[in-house]
Amino acid sequence: MTDDPTDGPTAPTDDGAASSGETDHDAERARADGGALEVADGHAQDEHAMPPTSSLKRWFVTTNHKDVGLLYIATSLSFLMLGGVLALLMRAQLWVPRAPGTGPLSAMAYNQAVSVHGLVMVFWFLSPFAFGFANYVVPLQMGAKDLAFPRLNALSYWLYLSSGVLLFVSFFQGGTFAGGWTMYAPLNLPAFTPSVGGSAAVLALMLFVASVTVSSVNFLTTMHRMRAEGLTLRRLPLFSWTILLTVWMMLFAFAALLAALLLLSADRLLGTTYFAVNGANGALLWTHLFWFFGHPEVYIVFFPALGVMAEVFQTFTGRRIVGRKWFIAAMVLVALQSFIVWMHHMFLTSINLEIKTLFMATTIGISLPFDLMVFSLIYTMVKGKIRFKTPFLFSFGGLLLFILGGITGVFLGAVVLDYEFRGTYWVVAHFHYVMVGGVTALIGGLYYWYPKMVGRMYDEFLGKVHFALYFVGFNLLYFPMFVAWETPRRVFDYDPGMTAWHQMATVGAVVLGASFLVMIYNLVTSAYRGEVADEDPWNYVTTAEWAVSSPPPLENFPGLPSYARGTLEFLGGSSSALKTVDDDAPAAADRGTGAATDGGAPATLDGSEALAASAHTAEEVQAGEDHHASHASVWPFLVGVGALLLLLGLSGFTNATWSEGAMGTAHQASTGVGAVVTFGALVGMAREQFVGPSGPYGESWPFEKVSNMKTGMWIFLVSDVVLFGAFIGAYVFLRFSSGWIAWEPIPDNVVPGLINTYLLLTSSFTVILALEAAERESRGGVVASLVATVVLGLGFLGNKAIEWEHLFTDKGIWIDSGIRESTFFVTTGLHAAHVVVGLLITLYLILRAWNGAYLDDAAPVEHFGLYWHFVDIVWLFLFPLFYIL
Amino acid sequence: MTRLKLYTAIYVVLFVSATVQVLVEQAGIAYETALAVILALSFVKAVIVAGYYQHLRWEPRSLTYLMGIGLLAVLALTVAATYSITP
Ligand code: HEM
Ligand SMILES: [Cu+2]
């Protein structure tokens, strides 16, 4: 491993404010991802040679977006099977109304099945399935060679798999979580769901959220920064648009869920009292946090399906979607509105009537843009010439189901009607029509992109058989639930008069489940026997993934993709194909007629003309081709293993004590080993030389002048803003609930807090000094400033330890003494954890700086500073809120 | 060098205003007023740190908007949730 930064071919990677802000493509070109910014490429090649797809090793080390996409799809389909088996067990139990203790499932087993079925389907199947496609297709549609941070992408996958394994294991830890997928308080506390598996399920979801956050940051950075020249957001294909909006919603919504889960874990593991029965409005707090996440989540799972519908409708009706611009505008609107409707899930809680009315209005408002999208899809069909292939059938079926689901949702959005429907099978039927309606479209997507991913065609007849069984099974399963809507939700005893409807539903469930066997048979056998697919098996397509071979080569394109002349051209490569772009240009409207821009037409213009029209220079094109990106790293997998062990171990910690006996020892060991492996793997990843994809490629709005790393850092910080904001919001909410004025700060003395404010402010200042020293190329200055930062940070933590010690022993309070104490220790504790992480990073920076790093490229110091100042800012609010007011 | 002076001046301002926050509370003015002043000071400090130490001032505006949106989201959550409490 060479640490000598001088043998690299690239300029410093930061082109942000501090250094005047130019966008220099060359400077950006060879940026590594992760922590190895200052490392040059060239030598990294041998270590990162990519094993072939036939080698098992490949799938553990790959960072390529197409491989990761396939892993996501395969894994999510496994979770579909798990969720499906649980569903069939539930339907068996519901065959006739039963008393507890009778039927195939015990009462507790039924509760677990209901809860984990919901969790698995919403989290571990639906979104990851969609993100399999997103991983595979979005970089292709954008003209990028990979995501901005390939190793982080692999990391997302491994964290996802680990979280799913942990959830599965939780069944065997004295039973898994049994309080419903919404995890309502106080049922979510050990007092009511005491099993170790219950905690494991909560921690599994937390790990899943970590995966989602990493993924959001990565996709947002990629999609904003790495688009091909000429591919403005206006021209971005619709599937990519839906993914872009999905990841934006994910970034904000999942941060709120993370806050909820951290508080819940504190309650479960440490024994704080946020959600305790006799607490101050804890149950209502949970619903607010959960549904602030939860409503955007329903669009997070639905939007990718909408994107598939749009793409498939265009391809199989042979025309551009009607009102494309408005379609996009409507989606943007819905994405924004999704954050202001959450209380329609809470009409039967103690919230006041004024706010219910307000949220009824916003809910009506959000259904309007949806109408526009639905009509645009229908009108596209009316105006086009439909080819009834399997992908189209599934997408069209999905649209029909979604319409019915949406209409029934409007009933639920009306306060008075919801008083009646809440907690019944009407809700169950509604959200299955919308969500599984989305799944239907995504399955259309699976058939649509199958030839691209596999290189062979699926069997069309079997595809249609699958659709027929699926659609009949679906409606047989869920429609009777509308009829038998008076059945209470999550309960297996119901009015015997409705037995026939429930039996119909159970038969439907079996048909629906069986239809997937047809699909799996079809997809597996076709992978070997199917007709070989060329680059564009559909003959009418509008997006770039169809311009390259099936499956595409490792680095996607035969040259540098450019849309400078409105259509896709490859600069410099050996072959150059001409394809259409899915944009607003009039030429794109009648591509189906075989005009010059007809998809699939071979190149007609020679490369030099294309290059002349492009802002790229020949040298840039050449540099892109000479760029050797890495595609393999084992560290993400190891981080996943470590995280799994860590959380598996922690699940044995309840109310601040380890479980008894040998199991307790095993849990502690697992925690320790997991922590070491996670930390070691993260350090390994930071030290590894890894060369990211070349790029950006031309379009980077609105972050043209901000490097990939810095963009990623800021996007991550936004999610941290939401996390801390939700913690502070929870504090404000609970303090209001229990009387604002009467609530005294926990520390009796403001001085330790003030001293800590001074220490933290000073440490921010020393971090600034470190950056200045790096820019003045003073090694001693960098090291000294960073050491000062560590000393100040340790002072902060030490002072806090003394203060807490005083509170614990002299004042005799503990984190569970009351809600005042809980909010104080948990909120400032989360902040302290951020300080600890910051100090670990600082130590790493010091070691590197000692060896002379950062002098020619101060970017890592700057990026760390962004984080550290943010931690400082948070304290600027925590100090007055928890010490003064 | 002048940038260093600016950073130092900012550091002094932050240091002093943290002290002022404590003094305001002990000055014996009405609770609501003190609350407003203290929180306003926190906001001002946060803006200064973000603007200068995180140098958002010299970055493209898009980053500032990004942070603004995050802040807006959690404010919406906090205000609406707190308002929803039935007295
Ligand atoms: C026209 C748009 C929609 C409206 C007006 C709407 C309205 C509602 C309302 C008011 C509820 C609460 C019912 C209750 O618990 O009493 C609800 C529940 C639900 N909706 Fe929708 N919805 C719409 C679209 C969607 C979509 C697109 C999805 C998912 C793809 C979805 C998924 C859900 C889920 C999962 C629940 C149940 C949550 C739970 O477990 O309590 N909805 N919907
Ligand atoms: Cu909702």
Side-chain angles (χ1 to χ4, degrees):
Chain A
M1 144 163 290
T2 88
D3 267 340
D4 179 5
T6 55
D7 68 355
T10 56
T13 47
D14 172 50
D15 55 359
S19 59
S20 89
E22 83 282 34
T23 24
D24 179 348
H25 292 297
D26 282 319
E28 302 276 356
R29 180 132 283 132
R31 177 173 300 104
D33 89 304
L37 270 164
E38 55 288 319
V39 168
D41 73 340
H43 308 287
Q45 280 314 294
D46 309 332
E47 288 170 47
H48 296 282
M50 185 71 151
T53 44
S54 57
S55 145
L56 189 63
K57 182 176 168 216
R58 157 105 165 206
W59 301 98
F60 287 94
V61 300
T62 182
T63 62
N64 184 267
H65 72 97
K66 294 182 291 300
D67 292 350
V68 174
L70 294 176
L71 287 170
Y72 264 107
I73 291 172
T75 310
S76 62
L77 286 174
S78 319
F79 283 112
L80 172 67
M81 295 221 277
L82 172 63
V85 168
L86 292 171
L88 289 173
L89 285 173
M90 278 148 54
R91 286 314 316 174
Q93 181 79 3
L94 288 162
W95 183 252
V96 290
R98 297 188 207 262
T102 60
L105 295 179
S106 73
M108 214 27 152
Y110 187 84
N111 289 349
Q112 292 176 34
V114 172
S115 309
V116 176
H117 163 74
L119 288 168
V120 162
M121 289 305 202
V122 172
F123 293 105
W124 278 274
F125 163 58
L126 231 173
S127 274
F129 188 46
F131 269 76
F133 300 131
N135 262 290
Y136 203 101
V137 175
V138 165
L140 287 164
Q141 290 196 338
M142 283 177 17
K145 292 189 175 176
D146 207 323
L147 290 177
F149 310 115
R151 288 185 305 172
L152 292 188
N153 194 31
L155 180 63
S156 295
Y157 169 74
W158 291 111
L159 293 182
Y160 156 57
L161 182 60
S162 291
S163 68
V165 171
L166 183 57
L167 182 73
F168 185 73
V169 170
S170 71
F171 273 104
F172 308 100
Q173 293 178 288
T176 183
F177 189 78
W181 85 280
T182 48
M183 297 185 166
Y184 283 143
L187 208 54
N188 53 10
L189 296 181
F192 303 97
T193 45
S195 69
V196 169
S199 297
V202 172
L203 294 174
L205 188 53
M206 206 150 81
L207 190 55
F208 181 85
V209 176
S211 153
V212 168
T213 306
V214 174
S215 203
S216 313
V217 170
N218 203 352
F219 268 85
L220 285 171
T221 307
T222 309
M223 296 194 72
H224 280 292
R225 291 259 319 145
M226 306 268 282
R227 279 168 284 124
E229 178 182 28
L231 194 61
T232 56
L233 282 186
R234 271 176 79 104
R235 290 172 158 181
L236 198 64
L238 285 169
F239 179 69
S240 288
W241 251 111
T242 57
I243 296 298
L244 180 63
L245 291 170
T246 302
V247 277
W248 272 117
M249 289 191 283
M250 273 167 39
L251 186 76
F252 292 100
F254 274 86
L257 179 62
L258 183 58
L261 291 171
L262 281 171
L263 296 181
L264 177 57
S265 305
D267 270 15
R268 286 189 72 99
L269 305 193
L270 306 176
T272 52
T273 60
Y274 270 88
F275 304 117
V277 194
N278 51 2
N281 239 347
L284 191 59
L285 171 66
W286 175 266
T287 51
H288 274 300
L289 290 175
F290 185 86
W291 287 115
F292 183 77
F293 147 79
H295 191 86
E297 167 69 2
V298 305
Y299 297 128
I300 288 169
V301 299
F302 188 70
F303 263 39
L306 197 61
V308 170
M309 283 182 201
E311 297 282 352
V312 168
F313 272 50
Q314 297 190 117
T315 297
F316 293 94
T317 60
R319 61 155 299 134
R320 193 166 69 97
I321 195 157
V322 175
R324 191 186 128 90
K325 239 179 280 178
W326 296 104
F327 193 85
I328 294 172
M331 289 195 301
V332 174
L333 209 57
V334 168
L336 291 171
Q337 286 176 291
S338 71
F339 285 92
I340 50 165
V341 297
W342 78 91
M343 282 188 233
H344 66 215
H345 295 274
M346 299 165 58
F347 288 153
L348 259 73
T349 63
S350 66
I351 58 174
N352 58 48
L353 194 57
E354 289 84 354
I355 200 102
K356 283 184 199 172
T357 316
L358 183 64
F359 274 76
M360 178 161 99
T362 57
T363 301
I364 294 169
I366 204 171
S367 55
L368 302 179
F370 264 117
D371 300 340
L372 192 146
M373 291 183 237
V374 167
F375 282 120
S376 142
L377 286 171
I378 293 176
Y379 204 46
T380 307
M381 269 189 312
V382 172
K383 291 186 70 175
K385 229 174 94 226
I386 301 173
R387 289 181 291 160
F388 287 97
K389 299 272 191 191
T390 308
F392 178 81
L393 289 174
F394 272 99
S395 296
F396 179 56
L399 179 63
L400 291 181
L401 302 174
F402 178 72
I403 292 173
L404 192 55
I407 292 174
T408 53
V410 175
F411 285 65
L412 296 173
V415 177
V416 196
L417 290 178
D418 193 48
Y419 284 170
E420 205 58 40
F421 285 135
R422 170 98 241 179
T424 70
Y425 262 58
W426 183 276
V427 178
V428 179
H430 154 68
F431 70 71
H432 280 93
Y433 263 86
V434 276
M435 285 207 179
V436 191
V439 174
T440 311
L442 288 176
I443 290 171
L446 183 58
Y447 282 105
Y448 181 57
W449 282 304
Y450 179 85
K452 178 55 59 186
M453 298 187 293
V454 177
R456 287 179 187 270
M457 206 61 187
Y458 62 84
D459 183 286
E460 185 62 44
F461 174 73
L462 285 179
K464 285 188 172 131
V465 170
H466 177 202
F467 176 73
L469 283 174
Y470 180 102
F471 203 72
V472 170
F474 180 106
N475 286 293
L476 199 56
L477 168 56
Y478 297 120
F479 198 81
M481 294 184 188
F482 282 125
V483 185
W485 69 269
E486 281 162 299
T487 311
R489 188 177 167 192
R490 295 176 180 167
V491 174
F492 49 79
D493 189 10
Y494 53 84
D495 181 347
M498 298 184 292
T499 307
W501 297 112
H502 279 286
Q503 296 191 342
M504 232 188 256
T506 301
V507 172
V510 173
V511 176
L512 183 66
S515 79
F516 280 94
L517 300 179
V518 179
M519 176 183 95
I520 292 187
Y521 173 80
N522 187 355
L523 298 189
V524 171
T525 55
S526 300
Y528 299 97
R529 287 195 255 122
E531 200 183 309
V532 173
D534 65 3
E535 49 190 43
D536 169 21
W538 304 124
N539 300 321
Y540 174 92
V541 287
T542 53
T543 50
E545 72 269 30
W546 305 107
V548 290
S549 63
S550 306
L554 191 63
E555 296 198 347
N556 291 350
F557 303 108
L560 185 61
S562 165
Y563 292 86
R565 292 193 291 186
T567 56
L568 172 58
E569 291 165 313
F570 298 118
L571 308 179
S574 44
S575 79
S576 77
L578 179 67
K579 285 283 171 174
T580 53
V581 54
D582 191 15
D583 69 356
D584 286 324
D590 53 11
R591 259 175 248 130
T593 63
T597 47
D598 191 356
T604 51
L605 297 153
D606 77 68
S608 58
E609 270 181 59
L611 192 57
S614 160
H616 290 298
T617 63
E619 292 75 51
E620 276 177 350
V621 172
Q622 193 55 42
E625 267 169 43
D626 295 344
H627 177 85
H628 293 294
S630 317
H631 295 286
S633 169
V634 74
W635 300 111
F637 167 68
L638 291 177
V639 177
V641 172
L644 174 60
L645 291 174
L646 176 63
L647 293 187
L648 186 62
L650 282 179
S651 67
F653 195 62
T654 309
N655 284 330
T657 43
W658 291 99
S659 37
E660 298 284 303
M663 272 325 275
T665 318
H667 278 123
Q668 291 176 41
S670 182
T671 307
V673 174
V676 171
V677 172
T678 309
F679 184 73
L682 285 172
V683 172
M685 192 156 145
R687 289 181 53 81
E688 180 180 46
Q689 300 179 40
F690 189 94
V691 184
S694 62
Y697 305 106
E699 300 295 335
S700 300
W701 187 86
F703 303 118
E704 290 92 346
K705 301 204 167 133
V706 195
S707 70
N708 280 2
M709 265 306 271
K710 199 195 270 185
T711 306
M713 192 70 205
W714 275 109
I715 292 172
F716 166 73
L717 287 181
V718 180
S719 79
D720 226 9
V721 165
V722 176
L723 176 68
F724 269 112
F727 267 67
I728 294 175
Y731 160 81
V732 170
F733 176 85
L734 292 172
R735 183 164 173 178
F736 244 96
S737 299
S738 40
W740 185 274
I741 303 282
W743 176 298
E744 289 286 327
I746 291 295
D748 44 6
N749 188 348
V750 59
V751 172
L754 186 61
I755 292 176
N756 264 353
T757 309
Y758 293 152
L759 288 173
L760 218 49
L761 282 173
T762 313
S763 75
S764 252
F765 186 60
T766 56
V767 168
I768 283 286
L769 291 182
L771 181 59
E772 285 286 306
E775 275 162 11
R776 279 185 282 109
E777 308 202 2
S778 150
R779 190 180 78 134
V782 178
V783 172
S785 312
L786 290 177
V787 168
T789 308
V790 171
V791 171
L792 291 162
L794 288 177
F796 176 91
L797 292 175
N799 188 20
K800 187 178 283 289
I802 295 169
E803 178 198 58
W804 284 20
E805 173 65 21
H806 163 70
L807 293 173
F808 291 151
T809 50
D810 299 346
K811 288 190 70 187
I813 58 174
W814 186 243
I815 53 174
D816 62 1
S817 302
I819 189 61
R820 231 161 32 94
E821 288 79 0
S822 289
T823 52
F824 173 77
F825 288 112
V826 170
T827 313
T828 57
L830 178 72
H831 177 267
H834 273 71
V835 171
V836 172
V837 170
L839 291 183
L840 289 175
I841 299 173
T842 317
L843 287 175
Y844 180 78
L845 293 180
I846 291 174
L847 286 177
R848 300 292 319 267
W850 185 259
N851 293 323
Y854 314 129
L855 298 184
D856 63 336
D857 175 14
V861 178
E862 187 198 347
H863 301 149
F864 165 70
L866 296 178
Y867 171 82
W868 191 257
H869 302 310
F870 167 73
V871 175
D872 192 8
I873 290 178
V874 171
W875 183 257
L876 293 179
F877 289 96
L878 296 192
F879 171 56
L881 283 176
F882 287 95
Y883 285 84
I884 306 182
L885 293 169
Chain B
M1 245 327 67
T2 79
R3 203 164 50 192
L4 204 54
K5 270 195 197 133
L6 176 66
Y7 289 145
T8 314
I10 287 169
Y11 171 61
V12 173
V13 169
L14 293 172
F15 205 95
V16 170
S17 75
T19 321
V20 170
Q21 282 183 313
V22 176
L23 295 180
V24 167
E25 204 266 337
Q26 291 167 352
I29 46 177
Y31 182 81
E32 278 78 12
T33 324
L35 181 104
V37 171
I38 289 172
L39 284 184
L41 275 175
S42 279
F43 264 103
V44 171
K45 283 193 289 183
V47 168
I48 292 177
V49 174
Y52 291 89
Y53 282 7
Q54 295 182 310
H55 41 75
L56 272 181
R57 231 199 107 188
W58 298 286
E59 300 278 12
R61 269 313 135 252
S62 48
L63 289 180
T64 309
Y65 295 143
L66 181 63
M67 298 312 271
I69 293 170
L71 211 57
L72 203 68
V74 286
L75 273 177
L77 172 62
T78 307
V79 171
T82 307
Y83 175 78
S84 78
I85 300 169
T86 307

